[in-house]
Amino acid sequence: QMGKVGDDLGEDVYLVGGSVRDLFLRSDHLDIDVVVEGDAIEFARAFAQGRDDLRLRTHKKFNTAKLLFDSGLTMDLATARLEYYMSPAALPVVEHSSVKLDLYRRDFTINTMAVRLNGRQFGLLIDFFEAMRDIKEKVIRVLHNLSFVEDPTRVFRAIRFEQRFGFRIGKLTEALIKNAIKIDAFRRLTGSRLFGELKHILEEESVTPAIERLNEFKLLRVFHPALQLTAKQLELLDQAEETLAWYRLSFIDKPLRRWLLYFLALADGLDEQQMTELCQRLGFAPKLREEITEMRAKALRCVNVLQRRAARPSQTFELLRPLGLEFQLLVMAKTSKDYAKKAVSQYLTTMVRVRPELGGQDLKAMGYLPGPLYKQILDTLLAARLDGQVQTRQDEIDLVE
Ligand code: CTP
């Protein structure tokens, strides 16, 4: 249908970039990139007309549009800037010249393929820069020598794709990365762009090997000079991964910021001051910065108490309750004692659901006046329940009286 709109408007349209790459490398790509040799907004409007299974968002400044399908699929439409290349002397060979330039501006060869979506050449795979060869050879290559200088975030993308697909970074590309590091091209990156890249890496399926690669390139210090990958750090990253594997199987259905657990593990060796500096460099909002510094300190105390000796359930409960989920999992990852790990797992899977049977109404009926006393009584009942001291409603009534 995209193709039909293209034909109607007399504009050529292509599927491009990561979505074409993933036709060959994986199948779960839900973001689709399309380039129109014409006006992308006008094109998107024409496509959306009469359909009720999508929403349209447009961005005038960049002349781009986004289609959000009810199915969860999203499609970005961009304009290949035809005006530069529409010289009357254009030769037939450069028929796809505007999309070619659009593709040439991209990061790696593997992201430069396009599929024609309209006209008689529908389905034609266009590969100007030997992307297919590089996919077969499993190598990440830039298109030109200034790629990383123009956009240093691409260094992190190179490492991310390398690990995701089990590719390796090509020799020249590697030398260009080293050059970007040498001239410290990352200095001018804003906190949020730098964080965006780190977060992407920490959200990938396999995180530790990518961090090891960052370390090999001496890229961790771009985030903070004291950030290192020691044996202890590696062990903690492994533990974080195991903890996440456990979490996935536990069917706890709470939103989890996976990246945050890895972030905490990675930065575990930093002291409070350094952690604050790291958060600042990454442009974290004050709220997130405070959450991280406060909860991290609490989590550390929690690890110390929990692994000294097996704690009573009510004590475990009190220690873990103030922590956010990622920090509770950090405690689990950090402790080396099985009984402490078990305490956290029991907290997350069962303790959080325990409630006293008596409620405010019952206390009122028993003659207690509403006030702060209620919370005290209910907390005491909860602790007694967690520790198995009360089992029935009558036990609770006896305890209150
Ligand atoms: N791109 C680029 N330089 C960047 C970011 C993106 O050249 N710094 C180009 C790439 O060609 C990429 C396309 O823009 O294919 C779309 O970017 P994005 O959606 O971030 O990348 P994907 O390749 O789709 O990666 P992912 O699978 O992680 O979404």
Side-chain angles (χ1 to χ4, degrees), residues 1-45:
Q1 203 177 346
M2 282 263 149
K4 182 165 183 316
V5 176
D7 288 340
D8 290 350
L9 294 174
E11 292 166 352
D12 288 340
V13 45
Y14 305 88
L15 184 69
V16 293
S19 23
V20 181
R21 175 198 72 212
D22 286 352
L23 289 176
F24 298 96
L25 289 170
R26 59 179 216 188
S27 53
D28 58 349
H29 206 112
L30 282 178
D31 303 312
I32 287 180
D33 289 313
V34 167
V35 163
V36 184
E37 287 184 338
D39 185 332
I41 294 182
E42 186 192 322
F43 185 95
R45 287 222 172 90

Side-chain angles (χ1 to χ4, degrees), residues 18 21 29 33 106-107 111 151 153-154 157 160 164:
R21 175 198 72 212
H29 206 112
D33 289 313
R106 287 165 186 258
D107 48 4
N111 288 334
D151 182 353
T153 62
R154 289 176 171 170
R157 291 173 59 86
R160 186 153 59 89
R164 183 197 291 173

Side-chain angles (χ1 to χ4, degrees), residues 205-376:
E205 194 57 45
S206 144
V207 172
T208 310
I211 295 180
E212 287 181 284
R213 267 315 246 161
L214 288 175
N215 189 48
E216 271 170 39
F217 279 112
K218 299 194 170 54
L219 275 165
L220 289 177
R221 62 176 70 147
V222 167
F223 301 102
H224 190 285
L227 209 56
Q228 285 179 12
L229 197 61
T230 58
K232 204 172 144 210
Q233 222 65 72
L234 268 174
E235 165 67 19
L236 182 56
L237 286 166
D238 277 348
Q239 289 295 327
E241 193 176 335
E242 257 182 51
T243 304
L244 284 168
W246 169 83
Y247 182 83
R248 199 173 300 167
L249 291 176
S250 73
F251 295 108
I252 302 166
D253 190 16
K254 247 173 131 180
L256 168 72
R257 289 167 291 179
R258 221 173 96 87
W259 69 266
L260 181 53
L261 179 61
Y262 279 119
F263 176 78
L264 293 166
L266 178 64
D268 192 59
L270 300 190
D271 64 27
E272 217 166 293
Q273 171 68 23
Q274 293 166 329
M275 183 58 140
T276 306
E277 288 160 3
L278 173 61
C279 292
Q280 262 158 358
R281 176 62 186 106
L282 295 177
F284 287 175
K287 198 165 155 245
L288 180 59
R289 215 160 61 206
E290 274 160 36
E291 179 192 354
I292 288 178
T293 39
E294 276 171 29
M295 293 241 182
R296 190 171 82 122
K298 281 189 189 156
L300 286 185
R301 280 198 294 278
C302 194
V303 172
N304 286 334
V305 178
L306 282 183
Q307 63 179 11
R308 219 174 293 145
R309 69 183 81 88
R312 268 181 290 119
S314 60
Q315 199 185 1
T316 302
F317 188 88
E318 216 171 287
L319 283 165
L320 288 170
R321 182 162 54 170
L323 300 183
L325 178 58
E326 297 82 4
F327 299 85
Q328 291 163 343
L329 294 177
L330 178 69
V331 173
M332 194 165 178
K334 266 185 80 85
T335 175
S336 50
K337 300 279 196 285
D338 274 348
Y339 55 78
K341 281 191 200 293
K342 206 162 173 185
V344 184
S345 85
Q346 273 169 350
Y347 174 88
L348 286 168
T349 51
T350 53
M351 288 186 208
V352 284
R353 278 196 299 271
V354 175
R355 302 271 182 283
E357 270 185 52
L358 298 184
Q361 289 300 334
D362 302 299
L363 296 184
K364 206 167 169 186
M366 289 166 79
Y368 291 97
L369 288 176
L373 183 65
Y374 273 32
K375 186 175 168 343
Q376 269 176 34

